[in-house]
Amino acid sequence: MTYISFLSEYGDRFIDGMLVTGLQFLCSLALATALALTSGLMLLSSNPAVKGAAVIYVEFFRGTSLLVQLFWLFFVLPLFGITLEPFLTGFLAVGLNTGAYGAQLVVGAIKSVPRGQWEAAYALSMSPAKRMRRIIIPQALAIMLPAWGNLVIELLKSTALVALIAVPDLMFEAKQLNSSTYLSTWTFGTALVIYYIFARFLITPTMRSLERVMARRMGRS
C-alpha cells in the first residue's frame, strides 16, 4: 500500500479526528482565556480571600501533571457521584491547566505596564474598574500576546492527551488506525504533520495578526 492509497482509504478518519481536535482546542482555549484573565486579576487583588482562592487554583494546576488531572476528573469524580462525558472532561482538564499558566502571564503583563500609565489614570480620577478596562488591560494585552501565542500552541499539543480517555480526536484516530494497520510511520507521521500545520499555519499567523492589530491600536492611542 502506497501512502496515497493509505490516505485515500483512511483520510476520512483523520478528518474526523481533526474536527474533534479543533473543537477541543477552541473549547479549551475559551475556558483557559476566561480563567487566566479572571485568576490573574484575582492574584492582584488586595482582598486576601480573593487572592488566596486564585493562588490555590494556580498553584494546584501548575504544580500537578495535566495527565493526572485528566484522569482524576474522568476516573475519580465518578466515585463522588459526578460523571462527566469524555469530551467535556477533556477540555475542562486542558482549559483548567492552561488557565493556571495563563494567569501568571496576565499578572506579569499588567505589572509591566509603565508606571506613568497608572499615574495618568489616577490623575483622571478613574475608578479602579474603569482604570483597568480602559487603560491597563489594553496595554497588558499587547505586552502579553507573544507569550500567549506560545501558550496557545502548548494548549493545542496538550489536547492530544484526551485520546487516553477515548475522546475520538486526531491522536485517538491515529492510535486506532495504527492498531489495525500497523503502519506506524504513516499514521503517526500524518498526525504529526497535521498538528504542525495547525500550529504553524493557523495559530501562529493568527497570533501575529493580533499582535499587529494591538500594536496599531496602541500607536494611535
Side-chain angles (χ1 to χ4, degrees), residues 11-23:
D12 57 335
R13 297 279 297 275
F14 285 107
I15 293 174
D16 291 342
M18 286 169 55
L19 292 175
V20 175
T21 291
L23 286 174

Side-chain angles (χ1 to χ4, degrees), residues 1 9 12 23 32 34 39 58 64 113 131 158 181 212 221:
M1 177 183 288
E9 184 171 352
D12 57 335
L23 286 174
S39 300
V58 170
T64 56
V113 174
R131 182 167 62 241
S158 296
T181 64
R212 288 193 293 269
S221 60

Side-chain angles (χ1 to χ4, degrees), residues 90-105:
F91 82 75
L92 276 179
V94 176
L96 285 165
N97 183 272
T98 306
Y101 286 94
Q104 293 295 339
L105 293 182

Side-chain angles (χ1 to χ4, degrees), residues 1 4 30 45 90:
M1 177 183 288
I4 299 299
S45 173

Side-chain angles (χ1 to χ4, degrees), residues 72-85:
W72 200 93
L73 289 174
F74 192 68
F75 294 112
V76 179
L77 282 186
L79 302 178
F80 298 95
I82 304 174
T83 301
L84 303 176
E85 294 294 325

Side-chain angles (χ1 to χ4, degrees), residues 37-188:
L37 182 58
T38 303
S39 300
L41 292 174
M42 290 171 65
L43 287 171
L44 295 170
S45 173
S46 59
N47 186 311
V50 172
K51 183 175 182 179
V55 168
I56 291 172
Y57 160 66
V58 170
E59 293 303 321
F60 176 81
F61 282 96
R62 285 201 312 161
T64 56
S65 166
L66 172 57
L67 181 59
V68 176
Q69 295 163 17
L70 180 68
F71 283 173
W72 200 93
L73 289 174
F74 192 68
F75 294 112
V76 179
L77 282 186
L79 302 178
F80 298 95
I82 304 174
T83 301
L84 303 176
E85 294 294 325
F87 186 91
L88 175 61
T89 304
F91 82 75
L92 276 179
V94 176
L96 285 165
N97 183 272
T98 306
Y101 286 94
Q104 293 295 339
L105 293 182
V106 171
V107 171
I110 290 175
K111 289 184 176 180
S112 297
V113 174
R115 190 64 190 172
Q117 298 296 314
W118 292 85
E119 293 172 353
Y122 284 128
L124 292 172
S125 300
M126 289 184 173
S127 66
K130 188 175 183 180
R131 182 167 62 241
M132 293 297 293
R133 186 177 70 253
R134 297 288 298 275
I135 304 295
I136 306 304
I137 290 181
Q139 296 183 66
L141 287 176
I143 295 170
M144 182 177 62
L145 276 176
W148 186 260
N150 288 332
L151 191 65
V152 172
I153 292 175
E154 286 297 324
L155 183 150
L156 169 68
K157 293 187 288 187
S158 296
T159 61
L161 292 177
V162 304
L164 299 174
I165 57 171
V167 176
D169 72 327
L170 177 59
M171 198 63 209
F172 180 86
E173 295 292 352
K175 287 174 60 181
Q176 294 294 100
L177 284 174
N178 183 64
S179 298
S180 60
T181 64
Y182 298 101
L183 297 172
S184 301
T185 301
W186 288 350
T187 53
F188 294 120

